[in-house]
């Protein structure tokens, strides 16, 4: 089962969650990063302006794409391995999952190849006794930096303590 660690940056106002960027790190080391051309930066709050928008690549970068192109490229990235169902992991990833699903519209429109939920590294950390985690890296709140950090946290949790009896053992090849 291909495993992916991801993070999104978004603007939200309590009613709408609007994708800014998404970063994904595959278990095999491949990476995906895109910025949506479909968000309205004028709706960003002070925190998003200070911590997210100022880290985005220049508007001239090919990483800025339409939501439809982002959606298509992301699906290709997530399914190109073709080895069973996709497994998604995020750090407190409930909002991330909603943003991801909204790329296709309503939840029923999500492609069959993608799971209807994101597994939570934060919850795994608590379940495993809250072992020490890697420090927050430089560039936090950049979606790709945060996706890498999510993977690194996962690997630290795996290395610190084996799964409880009956719990699924995390699978990541840490040599990559």
């Amino acid at each position: 089962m291909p495993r992916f660690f991801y993070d999104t940056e978004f603007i939200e106002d309590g009613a709408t969650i609007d994708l800014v960027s998404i970063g994904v790190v595959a278990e095999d080391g491949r990476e995906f990063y895109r910025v949506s051309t479909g968000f309205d930066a004028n709706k960003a709050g002070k925190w998003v302006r200070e911590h997210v928008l100022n880290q985005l690549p220049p508007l001239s970068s090919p990483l800025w794409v339409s939501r439809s192109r982002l959606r298509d490229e992301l699906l290709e990235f997530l399914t190109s391995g073709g080895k069973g169902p996709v497994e998604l992991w995020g750090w407190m990833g409930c909002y991330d999952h909603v943003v991801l699903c909204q790329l296709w519209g309503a939840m029923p429109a999500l492609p069959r190849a993608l799971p209807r939920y994101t597994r939570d590294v934060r919850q795994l950390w608590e379940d495993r006794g809250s072992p020490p985690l890697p420090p927050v890296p430089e560039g936090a709140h950049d979606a790709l930096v945060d996706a890498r950090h999510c993977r690194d946290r996962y690997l630290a949790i795996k290395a610190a303590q084996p799964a409880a009896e009956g719990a699924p053992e995390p699978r990541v090849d840490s040599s990559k």
Side-chain angles (χ1 to χ4, degrees):
M1 181 176 307
R3 179 173 290 130
F4 298 90
F5 302 90
Y6 79 108
D7 184 67
T8 62
E9 299 301 336
F10 51 85
I11 297 168
E12 70 97 17
D13 61 11
T16 302
I17 306 170
D18 197 10
L19 176 68
V20 172
S21 60
I22 184 168
V24 185
V25 177
E27 189 170 28
D28 64 10
R30 293 177 300 124
E31 295 184 341
F32 177 91
Y33 176 75
R34 297 292 183 276
V35 180
S36 172
T37 58
F39 73 90
D40 183 352
N42 294 319
K43 292 183 178 180
K46 181 181 179 193
W47 190 92
V48 171
R49 284 192 312 275
E50 290 177 3
H51 298 281
V52 175
L53 300 183
N54 68 349
Q55 296 191 82
L56 296 176
L59 287 170
S60 60
S61 169
L63 296 171
W64 286 78
V65 296
S66 69
R67 287 175 55 89
S68 62
R69 182 169 165 199
L70 190 156
R71 177 191 65 220
D72 295 345
E73 290 179 0
L74 178 61
L75 183 61
E76 173 63 25
F77 178 81
L78 294 172
T79 60
S80 63
K83 295 182 180 179
V86 169
E87 191 174 290
L88 299 173
W89 285 83
W91 180 263
M92 298 190 329
C94 56
Y95 269 67
D96 298 305
H97 191 77
V98 171
V99 172
L100 177 89
C101 291
Q102 286 180 343
L103 286 170
W104 284 271
M107 179 81 78
L110 191 65
R112 299 291 260 165
L114 300 183
R116 280 19 189 191
Y117 63 95
T118 292
R119 296 169 189 259
D120 199 303
V121 174
R122 173 65 169 78
Q123 185 176 7
L124 179 66
W125 176 70
E126 270 189 36
D127 290 347
R128 299 290 176 88
S130 307
L133 295 173
V136 175
E138 183 81 23
H141 309 301
D142 170 293
L144 186 55
V145 169
D146 290 352
R148 290 175 185 145
H149 191 218
C150 181
R151 178 210 48 212
D152 294 346
R153 286 170 165 169
Y154 178 91
L155 291 171
I157 295 164
K158 178 185 174 195
Q161 184 178 20
E165 188 173 323
E169 178 63 28
R171 307 178 297 11
V172 168
D173 180 357
S174 59
S175 66
K176 294 184 180 185

